[in-house]
């Protein structure tokens, strides 16, 4: 019967002398003359195999070994297997283009991504996606517990939702359509349909030309939308609960993966202490931090929530509130999309969440009044006649509502302290990269 690497200590501890079978990849081979060690890797971790002779194996070959498990403090994980028989069931080419068992801290991101099918075999890289799986699972579980319904909406759309020109065109029979920048309008339609509370986990597409450590051209958007809210403050409250649940679950399920990255997640109680600053106060706070930081800061003065401001605000929140998480609300009208609900003549009921120096979320209460829309759209250069399908929703009765979206890769990046968001995407798409 197959035993996983993580269960060998237990099998050895039972000491009944029974043979076990392990299956996996050859991670490392060490020939000590007279005795050889093969480190086998499976989905659960690694285990040391001890052989009397040097095996005829290449790294990354897939093997099946049988033998007697034994406790050994010196072996990785505290146990090893004295091998009786070993079979190679898929031999790997002896010339690996990428060293799977290398210390990835010493390998640049380009080499990691250029050799993606092999770099994904590295346990530390795999750890990223185990944490990401927990984020997605915890996100869904929490929202389901609050009576949200999961939806799937089309990624082929007739027009953009988030403004700007960052749309990918797609040939669609005899016309051009676009890849969706977000499920924004669909999630609102579904609130108005009577579901009231919906969420979606899906890819979103942004044709952004710049290459930065925070941008992907395809990312996973964790979208939430709910009816009958008063303001963005209800949404900030929901996001705090959601993040607290995600962090708690990550700590519970991924202690090993977090340790591999030397990372930790904030305590749930700390999340509820995260401050909310109005946009103007956030600018003041960022500028005060800038002044206090002296010459090492990049800007002389901050006029917007720039990446530098995000970093300074999170440092401030960490020091003053014990968590590097801060919500900024009441953004000026000019910075937010057409669907955002006004607070007054210049400000909106909108917010961003900044975590460990990076914007991870945008959200807002939405316009839901048909007449207001007809007046607002031309101001954003949008033609009401092209948005008839969307506007119909507001014509026929729609509750006050709002929502937000968390960038899944950005949250993963910040939980683990990754330098580049591309590391948190299995198969990242950037200006150069559409393979594998
Ligand atoms: P926004 O455009 O701010 O808002 O996106 C929401 C969140 O998605 C993530 N994100 C990205 N992650 C990686 N690469 C990108 N190019 C990228 N663009 C965005 C970020 C960001 O905070 N419809 C609104 C949300 C809403 O109001 O419900 C929207 O898409 O983490």
């Amino acid at each position: 019967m197959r035993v996983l690497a993580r269960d060998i200590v237990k099998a050895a501890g039972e000491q009944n002398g029974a043979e076990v079978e392990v299956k996996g990849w050859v991670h490392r081979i060490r020939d000590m003359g007279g005795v050889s060690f093969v480190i086998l890797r499976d989905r659960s971790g690694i285990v040391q195999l001890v052989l009397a002779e040097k095996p005829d194996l290449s790294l990354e070959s897939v093997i099946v070994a049988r033998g007697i498990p034994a406790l050994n403090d010196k072996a990785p994980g505290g146990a090893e297997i004295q091998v009786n028989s070993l079979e190679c069931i898929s031999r790997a080419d002896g010339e690996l283009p990428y060293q799977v068992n290398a210390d990835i801290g010493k390998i640049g991101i380009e080499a990691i991504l250029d050799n993606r099918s092999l770099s994904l075999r590295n346990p530390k890289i795999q750890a990223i996606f185990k944490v990401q799986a927990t984020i997605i699972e915890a996100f869904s579980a929490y929202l389901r517990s609050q009576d949200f319904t999961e939806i799937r909406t089309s990624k082929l759309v007739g027009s953009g939702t988030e403004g700007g020109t960052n749309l990918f065109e797609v040939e669609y029979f005899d016309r051009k359509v676009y890849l969706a920048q977000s499920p924004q309008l669909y999630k609102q339609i579904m609130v108005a349909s009577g579901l009231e509370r919906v969420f979606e986990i899906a890819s979103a597409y942004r044709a952004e030309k710049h290459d930065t450590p925070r941008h992907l051209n395809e990312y996973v958007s964790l979208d939430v939308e709910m009816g009958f809210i008063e303001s963005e403050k209800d949404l900030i409250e929901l996001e705090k609960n959601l993040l607290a649940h995600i962090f708690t679950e990550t700590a519970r399920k991924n202690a090993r993966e977090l340790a591999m990255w030397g990372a930790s997640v904030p305590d749930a109680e700390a999340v509820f202490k995260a401050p909310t600053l109005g946009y103007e106060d956030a600018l003041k706070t960022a500028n005060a931090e800038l002044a206090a930081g002296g010459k090492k800061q990049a800007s002389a003065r901050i006029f917007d929530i720039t990446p530098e401001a995000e970093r300074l605000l999170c440092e401030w929140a960490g020091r003053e509130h014990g968590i590097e998480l801060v919500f900024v609300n009441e953004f000026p009208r000019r910075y937010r999309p057409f669907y955002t609900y006004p607070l007054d003549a210049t400000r909106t009921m909108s917010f961003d969440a900044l975590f460990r120096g990076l914007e991870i979320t945008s959200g807002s209460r939405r316009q839901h009044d048909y007449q207001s829309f007809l007046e607002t759209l031309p101001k954003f250069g949008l033609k009401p006649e092209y948005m008839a399908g969307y506007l119909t929703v507001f014509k026929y009765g729609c509750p006050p509502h709002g929502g937000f979206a968390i960038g899944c890769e950005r949250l993963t990046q910040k939980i683990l302290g990754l330098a580049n968001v591309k590391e948190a995407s299995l198969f990242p798409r950037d200006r150069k990269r559409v393979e594998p």
Side-chain angles (χ1 to χ4, degrees):
M1 239 250 302
R2 184 182 180 197
V3 177
L4 289 173
R6 68 169 169 238
D7 296 328
I8 297 301
V9 170
K10 187 164 159 265
E14 286 166 3
Q15 280 182 336
N16 53 11
E19 205 177 65
V20 296
E21 181 182 78
V22 286
K23 297 181 181 185
W25 290 255
V26 176
H27 188 62
R28 209 181 288 281
I29 305 171
R30 263 194 306 147
D31 178 26
M32 309 295 278
V35 60
S36 287
F37 299 105
V38 170
I39 303 293
L40 174 141
R41 189 182 73 237
D42 67 17
R43 68 174 190 276
S44 72
I46 56 170
V47 61
Q48 176 162 290
L49 310 181
V50 187
L51 297 104
E53 287 168 14
K54 186 174 180 221
D56 174 23
L57 284 177
S58 51
L59 291 174
E60 293 309 306
S61 293
V62 180
I63 57 171
V64 180
R66 286 179 203 88
I68 311 297
L71 294 173
N72 178 358
D73 288 346
K74 294 201 188 95
E80 60 191 10
I81 296 173
Q82 301 286 339
V83 173
N84 295 329
S85 68
L86 187 148
E87 186 193 348
C88 178
I89 54 174
S90 175
R91 181 172 288 275
D93 192 306
E95 294 289 317
L96 286 178
Y98 177 89
Q99 201 189 330
V100 172
N101 61 20
D103 172 359
I104 61 158
K106 298 199 175 112
I107 302 176
I109 175 120
E110 292 303 318
I112 288 176
L113 296 180
D114 287 347
N115 296 284
R116 200 53 166 159
S117 54
L118 283 177
S119 66
L120 283 170
R121 296 182 180 201
N122 181 288
K124 197 170 167 185
I125 292 180
Q126 275 181 13
I128 301 172
F129 300 99
K130 289 187 181 168
V131 167
Q132 192 163 82
T134 303
I135 293 174
I136 290 174
E137 192 182 329
F139 173 84
S140 324
Y142 182 77
L143 291 170
R144 279 198 195 97
S145 78
Q146 301 302 306
D147 214 15
F148 282 73
T149 301
E150 184 164 7
I151 56 170
R152 292 275 179 269
T153 64
S154 179
K155 301 303 149 207
L156 293 171
V157 294
S159 61
T161 48
E162 304 304 325
T165 50
N166 54 2
L167 284 163
F168 285 113
E169 271 188 15
V170 179
E171 271 183 40
Y172 192 74
F173 303 108
D174 54 357
R175 58 187 274 222
K176 294 257 191 276
V177 297
Y178 306 97
L179 291 179
Q181 294 164 304
S182 77
Q184 184 58 39
L185 309 186
Y186 295 129
K187 60 179 184 169
Q188 291 184 250
I189 291 175
M190 293 318 295
V191 167
S193 78
L195 285 185
E196 289 186 31
R197 296 175 164 211
V198 295
F199 73 96
E200 176 163 6
I201 300 166
S203 295
Y205 299 87
R206 305 281 169 107
E208 312 192 56
K209 292 207 171 89
H210 42 272
D211 187 9
T212 77
R214 55 164 62 205
H215 288 101
L216 291 160
N217 292 116
E218 179 184 46
Y219 69 94
V220 175
S221 186
L222 305 175
D223 267 278
V224 179
E225 197 74 16
M226 70 188 286
F228 301 104
I229 63 160
E230 298 283 329
S231 77
E232 81 287 357
K233 295 189 179 105
D234 301 318
L235 302 168
I236 292 173
E237 213 42 48
L238 174 64
E239 184 168 4
K240 283 185 179 176
N241 280 292
L242 200 42
L243 288 176
H245 186 68
I246 290 172
F247 293 149
T248 304
E249 285 300 284
T250 307
R252 188 173 71 81
K253 289 192 168 162
N254 297 111
R256 193 167 147 258
E257 287 75 22
L258 290 170
M260 284 166 110
W261 283 93
S264 62
V265 284
D267 288 341
E269 304 89 79
V271 175
F272 296 106
K273 293 187 186 135
T276 300
L277 292 176
Y279 180 82
E280 293 299 334
D281 284 341
L283 287 187
K284 276 187 204 140
T285 306
N287 277 307
E289 287 292 296
L290 192 65
K295 282 197 183 125
K296 66 178 191 254
Q297 313 292 11
S299 311
R301 192 165 159 68
I302 285 172
F303 295 98
D304 188 15
I305 308 297
T306 55
E308 188 182 20
E310 291 173 10
R311 179 177 61 76
L312 290 167
L313 287 168
C314 287
E315 278 172 16
W316 165 82
R319 202 178 60 240
E320 299 294 324
H321 299 269
I323 181 165
E324 284 191 67
L325 172 68
V326 48
F327 293 84
V328 178
N329 67 350
E330 300 175 358
F331 277 79
R333 176 86 261 179
R334 65 183 179 283
Y335 292 137
R336 301 309 269 206
F338 70 91
Y339 51 75
T340 314
Y341 197 86
L343 173 63
D344 53 30
T346 55
R347 296 177 300 167
T348 55
M349 288 192 177
S350 59
F351 77 99
D352 278 1
L354 317 178
F355 177 49
R356 294 182 174 166
L358 180 69
E359 175 207 314
I360 56 160
T361 306
S362 277
S364 64
R365 183 178 160 180
R366 326 296 191 187
Q367 292 258 25
H368 68 284
D369 175 62
Y370 184 63
Q371 273 311 323
S372 313
F373 256 119
L374 295 184
E375 286 155 27
T376 308
L377 288 178
K379 291 184 197 153
F380 283 83
L382 297 164
K383 294 198 169 77
E385 56 272 30
Y386 290 150
M387 308 195 75
Y390 172 59
L391 291 179
T392 309
V393 177
F394 306 105
K395 200 169 175 183
Y396 298 114
C398 177
H401 66 284
F404 56 86
I406 306 175
C408 182
E409 293 85 354
R410 285 195 185 180
L411 180 57
T412 314
Q413 178 191 4
K414 285 292 138 181
I415 285 180
L416 290 172
L418 310 176
N420 194 313
V421 72
K422 286 182 204 172
E423 293 176 70
S425 172
L426 276 173
F427 304 107
R429 295 293 176 248
D430 60 27
R431 277 191 85 180
K432 290 174 291 181
R433 210 176 288 283
V434 282
E435 287 275 339

